[in-house]
Structures are given as C-alpha cells and as structure tokens.
Amino acid sequence: MGQAAVRRVTRTSESMRTTPTDNNIGIRGLHLDQQLQLLPMDSSKKTEVVLLACGSFNPITNMHLRLFELAKDYLNATGEYKVIKGIISPVGDAYKKKGLIPAHHRIIMAELATKNSHWVEVDTWESLQKEWVETVKVLRHHQEKLATGSRSHPQSSPVLERPGRKRKWADQKQDSSPQKPQEPKPTGVPRVKLLCGADLLESFSVPNLWKMEDITQIVANFGLICVTRAGSDAQKFIYESDVLWRHQSNIHLVTEWITNDISSTKIRRALRRGQSIRYLVPDLVQEYIEEHDLYNSESEDRNAGVTLAPLQRNTSEAKHNHSTR
C-alpha cells in the first residue's frame, strides 16, 4: 500500500474515532435537563395503562370525555406511563339510583359520544349484569381480561351499525381489512386504573356506600386518576383518610385548569326545564335525547324511594356481621 493510501486510511480511522468523542463532549456541555431531552427514551420501560371510568353516564357529557383526555395527557407526560385505551363502563339498572334511565339508552348515548374517538370505547359487561357489581370487581374483570390476552378479541357490544341508519343493538364485527404493521409494544400486561372525578373520591367517606376493603384494593392494586373539579380539595381529603394517605403514591391528582363544571345532574335539570343543552353534550347525544324524550319529570322520579344498591347491600352485610359476632 502506498504512503498516500496509508495517510488516507489513517485520517479516516481517526475521524471515525473522534466523532463519538466530540458528540459526548457536546452532550456533557449541556445542562442535565437538556441532556435528558437528547437521550432516546426506552418505550419498553413505560407501563401501559388502560383508563376505566365507571358511573351512571346519565347522560354522558363533554366533561366525561374531557376526563379521558386530561388523564391521558397527564400520565403520558410523566414519562413512566403510556395510555393505550380508555373504557367507559356504564352501571347497570340494578344500581337503582334515582333518575337512572335504562342502561340500553345510556350505552347507546356513550357509543354515540365516542363514535369518533380512536382510543376510548364503551364496554357493556357491567351494565349487562343482573345484579349491581362493585367497582373493584369491574376493575378486576378488565385486568383479568387483559392478562388473558383478550384485548385482541373484543367482546360483543351494543354499537351503531352505521351513522345515520336506524339505531339498534348489534355485535361488534372484526375488521377484516388489512392491518398496518404495529409498533413494538412495551412488555408486560397493561395496568387498569380507575379514572374519576373528585366527587367519587369524596364519596369514599359516605357511610356504607363503599366497603373499606374495596377502597383499599382499588387504591393499592389498581390506582386512581382523579381529575379535580372547581372548588374541590382532593389533596385535603386524601390527607384526612388513613387508607388514601397510605397509598397516595398510587393516586394521581390531575388539575383541570380550564374550568368545566358540566355534570349529568345539571344536564337533566336543564332538560326538565326546557333549556338548551347544546355544546354541553355531543351533538349526536343531544339528538338522541330529544328523539326519545329521555329526561323529564317522570324519568327523574324513576327509582324514587328505592335505596341505592350499594347502601342496601353494605348495610345488610354490616348488620349480619354484627349479629354473628
């Protein structure tokens, strides 16, 4: 090999050796937060999360949908989690809450509200149960469903066959169209976390509404994503509860800085008074409510005088346990 060729090889090898060094020097010259931004994030170390919202959804509102978006933004921004799905699980008719209209109407409205969402869906398992199901059991059901790999086999669900056509209950059909190659998924089973508002958190203190062991399992084994409403003091409530304080690391409080105090109760009140609810619920939900005249004075008296299912069950069990001591 000639001397000129040797010099060219030497210069090339030196350049290859010094390039990483120069980059490292450049990175070390940055502040720590700037260095972290430059370093690639290993997505396999993120915990996949499924957000589950349980409740009456009587009717579903824009605020219910906003909860999912707020929680997703919050968790993804931590760098520790990746939200992959949101699930709306309407309570069954056996809950016996005053003013609760039949489940099939509430489910159809939820389906209409999420029709254009690519990640939030409606699940009917809870609403189809003959008896009221505790929230912790709903969480457990979905966690076990994920653990057995049934995420790739959706269950039957009441959906609308096609927008604009007659609404009816139908089984979800598998999409037979060619699927795009999916990105590598983080390892491990996704974790189900309960998405709620501050009102649910505060309801933990209502006597006989929740079993203490259920509250413990929810915050210890699953976790809460709580979106706070205007005027609520969720942090103070956690401080005053020994159980919540003990598991506060598994309770994420998300502040809604854009004030939004929409509630199903206020929606029903407006409807009873003949007032507009436009822009408070999705347009398709408003149309469905008006088409079926769902909320009025008569519907609000539904289950009037009937004890709420959890209060009835938990009070009965507490009396039984006391009498057997």
Side-chain angles (χ1 to χ4, degrees):
M1 181 181 295
Q3 292 181 354
V6 172
R7 283 196 296 271
R8 284 197 298 271
V9 172
T10 302
R11 282 196 296 270
T12 302
S13 62
E14 288 175 352
S15 175
M16 292 174 64
R17 287 197 302 269
T18 57
T19 298
T21 305
D22 292 340
N23 288 342
N24 290 338
I25 292 174
I27 291 177
R28 286 200 298 270
L30 299 175
H31 293 296
L32 178 59
D33 58 342
Q34 294 173 312
Q35 294 180 33
L36 293 175
Q37 291 176 7
L38 291 176
L39 295 176
M41 183 174 292
D42 186 359
S43 62
S44 65
K45 294 183 179 179
K46 291 184 180 181
T47 301
E48 288 186 331
V49 172
V50 173
L51 297 172
L52 174 67
C54 298
S56 300
F57 300 101
N58 187 41
I60 191 168
T61 71
N62 288 340
M63 185 58 195
H64 288 131
L65 303 177
R66 280 293 296 161
L67 294 181
F68 282 95
E69 297 296 331
L70 290 165
K72 181 181 180 181
D73 285 347
Y74 171 87
L75 288 178
N76 287 348
T78 65
E80 300 177 12
Y81 303 99
K82 178 182 178 182
V83 177
I84 62 170
K85 183 193 293 187
I87 299 175
I88 292 175
S89 179
V91 73
D93 294 338
Y95 188 55
K96 299 298 182 182
K97 185 175 183 179
K98 183 178 180 296
L100 187 67
I101 67 171
H104 73 275
H105 284 308
R106 292 182 284 113
I107 290 172
I108 290 176
M109 286 189 288
E111 289 283 359
L112 287 168
T114 58
K115 183 172 68 70
N116 295 323
S117 176
H118 67 279
W119 70 283
V120 179
E121 61 186 44
V122 181
D123 187 273
T124 64
W125 180 82
E126 178 183 2
S127 63
L128 294 177
Q129 304 305 305
K130 293 182 179 180
E131 300 293 332
W132 167 71
V133 183
E134 292 91 336
T135 300
V136 69
K137 292 183 179 179
V138 181
L139 284 161
R140 194 177 299 130
H141 164 78
H142 287 285
Q143 188 63 69
E144 292 174 351
K145 186 177 176 182
L146 289 171
T148 56
S150 59
R151 182 168 44 154
S152 59
H153 300 86
Q155 69 173 52
S156 295
S157 177
V159 297
L160 304 178
E161 285 193 323
R162 189 176 300 169
R165 296 184 63 181
K166 184 178 180 181
R167 302 177 179 92
K168 67 178 183 178
W169 295 75
D171 289 343
Q172 287 183 336
K173 297 180 179 179
Q174 295 291 338
D175 186 2
S176 58
S177 59
Q179 298 294 317
K180 295 181 180 180
Q182 295 184 344
E183 297 179 359
K185 294 289 185 179
T187 58
V189 179
R191 302 302 304 172
V192 178
K193 292 185 179 295
L194 182 63
L195 173 62
C196 68
D199 51 350
L200 184 142
L201 187 71
E202 294 170 358
S203 73
F204 286 163
S205 64
V206 177
N208 292 321
L209 186 60
W210 296 84
K211 295 178 182 178
M212 187 54 63
E213 55 266 34
D214 286 0
I215 297 175
T216 302
Q217 288 186 41
I218 289 173
V219 294
N221 301 336
F222 299 98
L224 285 176
I225 314 297
C226 178
V227 179
T228 60
R229 276 182 174 177
S232 66
D233 193 349
Q235 189 62 58
K236 182 174 182 291
F237 187 80
I238 292 174
Y239 168 75
E240 293 175 346
S241 167
D242 289 342
V243 173
L244 299 183
W245 180 262
R246 189 179 309 120
H247 300 286
Q248 61 178 308
S249 62
N250 210 18
I251 302 175
H252 301 269
L253 299 181
V254 183
T255 302
E256 167 60 290
W257 294 109
I258 303 176
T259 304
N260 188 340
D261 199 28
I262 301 173
S263 70
S264 296
T265 300
K266 293 179 179 178
I267 296 296
R268 296 197 306 274
R269 182 182 298 129
L271 288 167
R272 291 198 308 273
R273 297 175 181 179
Q275 298 172 342
S276 172
I277 60 169
R278 193 173 187 185
Y279 308 123
L280 300 178
V281 301
D283 290 344
L284 291 176
V285 173
Q286 179 189 358
E287 293 173 9
Y288 186 84
I289 291 174
E290 293 174 351
E291 178 182 347
H292 296 274
D293 189 24
L294 294 182
Y295 296 104
N296 46 50
S297 298
E298 183 179 347
S299 68
E300 194 64 22
D301 288 336
R302 184 181 174 91
N303 294 323
V306 179
T307 304
L308 202 64
L311 288 173
Q312 184 177 11
R313 181 180 298 178
N314 296 337
T315 301
S316 176
E317 289 182 2
K319 291 180 178 179
H320 176 74
N321 293 337
H322 180 75
S323 63
T324 55
R325 289 179 182 176

